[in-house]
């Protein structure tokens, strides 16, 4: 499990570093999507979340959910295209799970990917993800997850 | 980039508009900045009478819709976060479109602070002592004069604020569904203590051109840029039309719709040795959060602004953190409560919550 400047970035996930999101291919072929620990640290405490609805087809790098923290509102952009097959309904009542457990209870949506093989190659994983995030954190003058 | 002088950012003034147009412009200008079609920009904007929801809010929960309808007040949803506000010709909006790369940070709290502190210096240059109050307000001596919020899209961000030049507190109270909606003289007086305006502080209404010039100068200095008056580019006009088609619709206004019964306003009062203390809480049962608290009563608190500061600390507070936040607040600063003690604030807030949590859990 990679830890970059205090931010947990699991090796087995696929990341879009620019959009600060992760994807995990599940055993049933669906893909779970969420925000990274780094994205959460930059946002601060998330207080509201409005996901797109199940059944909607979303293109790669388009928004699957809108989150709010400190009066900032922004999109969570999916790393891969697909149809939303499930949204994490628990987040509406407990948006703080996104910050406290971004790769577990804080997941946002599950997609049935339309082109996993074609799109996953453009994502980074493992050690490459850790070094890409470290470069991004340096460029953004980030102190570390523990301080954020 | 001009090598002999400062960077030049665009200054836009889009004048007085209905809120759907203003928010479609938010969307269009932010998207265009993200797409690299437009420069970084300071925009001034004004609103016809409007009740403006935060992105995640529900009109039924936040507003007195009957009053809005009867008085021709347009209800709209912002693309930014935060709480509902009333906005009319007596206020001006200011907003910046920038990139995180230009700011050298992606820390949203740090970005809010930097922009708000600069805006506060601009407001202060008009002859008042305006300060940033975390996380999103600018205040004068504990009274709010500007509220702010932001939206981002990739590397681009938009941060916007209000500035109360003239403000009708009573009208705000009638528009918003807040505890003071009972509109007792005491409630109005209490709201007046929390909000102020340039007119009230200066004893005159400054001309708009001066207000804009001061804010522009302060932001230019903070970001070491010069502002040059400009127009929207073609790509922004195209994006604006598309955004307007989405935003100028009931579907957008009702994008989030929750019954008012899920957001009760809870009240309790307790008699302490020092007198009566009352807490009014705007509670969100869905997320078990106290969205906002107002404390009123026979308080002799010094400095007086401490109550407003405490209320600011308690915004969007999960129920289980309420006690810790109140104790933490009083542990960190010198507040003379006379005969009240910090625990009294906890007691009365808990009393207000008791009935609701008792039935909800």
């Amino acid at each position: 499990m990679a830890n970059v400047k205090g931010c947990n970035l699991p090796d087995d996930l696929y990341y879009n570093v620019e959009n600060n999101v992760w994807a995990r291919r599940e055993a049933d072929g669906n893909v779970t999507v969420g925000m990274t620990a780094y994205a959460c640290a930059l946002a601060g405490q998330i207080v509201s979340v409005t996901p797109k609805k199940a059944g909607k087809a979303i293109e790669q790098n388009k928004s699957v959910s809108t989150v709010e923290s400190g009066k900032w509102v922004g999109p969570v952009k999916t790393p891969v295209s697909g149809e939303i097959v499930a949204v994490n309904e628990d987040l509406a009542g407990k948006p703080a799970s996104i910050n406290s457990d971004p790769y577990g209870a804080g997941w946002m949506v599950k997609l049935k990917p339309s082109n996993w093989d074609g799109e996953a190659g453009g994502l980074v994983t493992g050690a490459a993800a850790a070094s890409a995030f470290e470069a991004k954190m340096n460029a953004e003058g980030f102190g570390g997850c523990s301080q954020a | 980039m001009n090598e002999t002088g400062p960077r030049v950012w665009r200054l836009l003034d889009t004048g007085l508009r209905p809120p759907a147009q203003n928010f479609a412009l938010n969307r269009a200008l932010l998207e265009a900045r993200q797409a690299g079609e437009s420069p970084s920009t300071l925009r001034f904007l004004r609103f016809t009478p409007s009740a403006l929801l935060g992105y995640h809010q529900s009109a039924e929960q936040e507003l007195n819709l009957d009053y809005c309808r009867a008085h021709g007040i347009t209800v709209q949803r912002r693309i930014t976060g935060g709480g509902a506000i009333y906005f009319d010709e007596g206020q001006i909006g200011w907003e910046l479109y920038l990139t995180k790369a230009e700011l050298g940070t992606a820390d949203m709290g740090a970005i809010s602070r930097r922009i708000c502190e600069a805006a506060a210096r601009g407001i202060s240059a008009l002859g008042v002592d305006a300060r940033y109050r975390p996380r999103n307000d600018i205040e004068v001596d504990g009274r709010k004069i500007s509220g702010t919020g932001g939206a981002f899209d990739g590397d681009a961000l938009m941060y916007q604020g209000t500035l109360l030049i003239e403000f009708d507190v009573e009208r705000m109270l009638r528009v918003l569904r807040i505890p003071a909606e009972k509109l007792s003289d005491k409630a109005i007086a209490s709201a007046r203590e929390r909000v102020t305006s340039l007119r009230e502080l200066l004893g005159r209404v400054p001309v708009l051109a001066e207000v804009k010039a001061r804010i522009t100068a302060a932001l230019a200095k903070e970001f070491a840029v010069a502002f040059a008056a400009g127009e929207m580019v073609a790509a922004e006009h195209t994006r604006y039309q598309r955004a307007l088609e989405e935003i100028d619709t009931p579907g957008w206004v009702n994008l989030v719709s929750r019954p008012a019964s899920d957001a009760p306003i809870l009240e309790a009062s307790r008699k302490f040795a020092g007198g009566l203390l009352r807490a009014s809480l705007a509670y969100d049962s869905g997320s078990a959060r106290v969205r906002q608290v107002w404390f009123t009563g026979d308080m002799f608190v010094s400095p007086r602004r401490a109550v407003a500061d405490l209320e600011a600390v308690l915004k969007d507070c999960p129920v289980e953190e309420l006690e810790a936040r109140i104790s933490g607040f009083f542990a960190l600063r010198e507040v003379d409560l006379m005969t009240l003690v910090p625990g009294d604030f906890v007691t009365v807030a808990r009393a207000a919550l008791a009935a609701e949590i008792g039935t909800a859990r």
Side-chain angles (χ1 to χ4, degrees):
Chain A
M1 180 167 295
N3 185 303
V4 184
K5 291 186 195 280
C7 306
N8 177 20
L9 293 157
D11 292 327
D12 57 332
L13 302 181
Y14 289 80
Y15 298 91
N16 178 312
V17 177
E18 190 189 342
N19 291 334
N20 231 333
V21 287
W22 58 267
R24 182 174 56 228
R25 191 91 197 263
E26 307 292 356
D28 62 4
N30 287 336
V31 175
T32 306
V33 169
M35 291 168 64
T36 67
Y38 178 38
C40 293
L42 292 175
Q45 193 68 53
I46 292 164
V47 296
S48 294
V49 51
T50 303
K52 293 264 164 69
K53 296 202 167 31
K56 239 183 138 128
I58 311 282
E59 282 173 49
Q60 187 180 34
N61 300 330
K62 296 290 183 191
S63 176
V64 287
S65 188
T66 306
V67 295
E68 175 172 342
S69 61
K71 296 199 184 175
W72 283 99
V73 169
V76 178
K77 297 182 174 183
T78 177
V80 294
S81 309
E83 181 193 326
I84 298 178
V85 292
V87 304
N88 187 349
E89 305 284 356
D90 294 341
L91 293 181
K94 222 168 178 292
S97 326
I98 301 168
N99 296 86
S100 61
D101 189 11
Y103 308 108
W107 67 276
M108 304 233 138
V109 298
K110 290 185 195 295
L111 298 163
K112 182 170 189 245
S114 53
N115 183 20
W116 172 263
D117 292 336
E119 292 173 343
L123 306 176
V124 292
T125 188
S131 56
F133 273 106
E134 187 166 14
K136 179 181 173 74
M137 290 175 191
N138 287 334
E140 292 175 347
F142 181 63
C145 272
S146 50
Q147 302 165 25
Chain B
M1 176 92 66
N2 182 345
E3 287 180 16
T4 59
R7 284 176 298 165
V8 175
W9 287 356
R10 178 177 57 169
L11 181 61
L12 272 184
D13 190 334
T14 54
L16 182 68
R17 289 171 181 262
Q21 292 185 16
N22 276 329
F23 301 147
L25 284 167
N26 283 160
R27 168 78 63 78
L29 269 52
L30 177 60
E31 285 180 355
R33 186 69 194 87
Q34 165 65 6
E37 297 162 351
S38 59
S40 287
T41 297
L42 168 62
R43 174 195 177 212
F44 288 109
L45 60 157
R46 295 172 63 224
F47 290 80
T48 53
S50 328
L52 307 177
L53 297 165
Y55 179 83
H56 284 101
Q57 293 189 308
S58 159
E60 294 78 9
Q61 292 187 344
E62 305 299 329
L63 303 176
N64 181 343
L65 293 171
D66 290 337
Y67 183 85
C68 292
R69 264 190 296 274
H71 292 82
I73 295 165
T74 308
V75 175
Q76 254 299 344
R77 177 178 306 283
R78 303 193 298 266
I79 71 164
T80 52
I85 56 171
Y86 172 67
F87 211 129
D88 66 20
E89 296 89 339
Q91 300 89 50
I92 188 167
W94 52 269
E95 48 195 37
L96 278 170
Y97 298 83
L98 304 169
T99 62
K100 294 174 191 167
E102 284 172 308
L103 293 169
T105 179
D107 180 317
M108 307 315 269
I111 293 169
S112 297
R113 170 176 291 276
R114 185 172 176 196
I115 295 173
C116 286
E117 286 179 347
R121 285 192 289 274
I123 297 166
S124 292
L126 292 159
V128 301
D129 183 18
R131 308 276 177 93
Y132 169 54
R133 175 167 61 202
R135 290 170 313 193
N136 302 90
D137 292 338
I138 296 170
E139 46 125 83
V140 177
D141 194 23
R143 300 165 73 195
K144 183 167 167 176
I145 196 163
S146 169
T148 69
F152 61 91
D153 179 9
D155 186 47
L157 59 91
M158 185 269 295
Y159 199 78
Q160 64 187 188
T162 59
L163 174 58
L164 308 189
I165 297 173
E166 296 183 84
F167 195 60
D168 184 341
V169 170
E170 192 168 337
R171 187 154 231 227
M172 172 193 77
L173 294 176
R174 291 185 188 282
V175 166
L176 301 182
R177 186 180 161 266
I178 59 178
E181 72 187 345
K182 287 170 184 161
L183 293 184
S184 64
D185 290 347
K186 220 170 178 177
I188 294 170
S190 158
R192 271 193 217 291
E193 281 185 18
R194 291 160 167 78
V195 181
T196 190
S197 67
L198 288 173
R199 178 190 193 139
E200 188 180 342
L201 294 167
L202 298 172
R204 66 183 174 90
V205 177
V207 294
L208 271 181
E210 185 194 0
V211 173
K212 293 174 193 170
R214 297 295 191 183
I215 292 175
T216 305
L219 293 170
K221 189 169 180 206
E222 173 61 31
F223 296 104
V225 297
F227 284 102
E231 299 293 332
M232 284 167 62
V233 300
E236 288 171 322
H237 282 287
T238 308
R239 290 181 183 277
Y240 168 64
Q241 289 304 334
R242 205 182 310 144
L244 195 60
E245 281 169 25
E246 179 185 352
I247 290 174
D248 196 11
T249 61
W252 172 261
V253 176
N254 299 314
L255 182 70
V256 176
S257 180
R258 290 183 297 249
S261 56
D262 285 358
I265 287 154
L266 311 173
E267 295 186 283
S269 52
R270 285 285 181 277
K271 200 119 181 104
F272 298 104
L276 187 80
L277 183 61
R278 181 183 306 108
S280 303
L281 282 73
Y283 180 69
D284 180 52
S285 60
S287 60
R289 259 184 315 136
V290 173
R291 298 181 306 153
Q292 208 169 341
V293 185
W294 292 264
F295 290 109
T296 52
D298 309 322
M299 284 184 285
F300 298 95
V301 175
S302 173
R304 261 164 52 134
R305 55 162 302 153
V307 176
D309 288 342
L310 174 61
E311 290 168 353
V313 164
L314 296 176
K315 274 189 187 168
D316 279 321
C317 181
V319 166
E320 64 271 20
E321 282 178 28
L322 195 65
E323 190 162 349
R325 283 205 199 173
I326 293 175
S327 323
F329 174 84
F330 285 109
L332 279 174
R333 71 195 71 195
E334 291 277 317
V335 181
D336 182 358
L337 293 171
M338 296 291 282
T339 50
L340 284 172
V341 295
D344 295 342
F345 289 86
V346 175
T347 302
V348 73
R350 286 222 163 281
L353 280 166
E356 178 67 20
I357 292 185
T359 57
R361 298 293 163 95

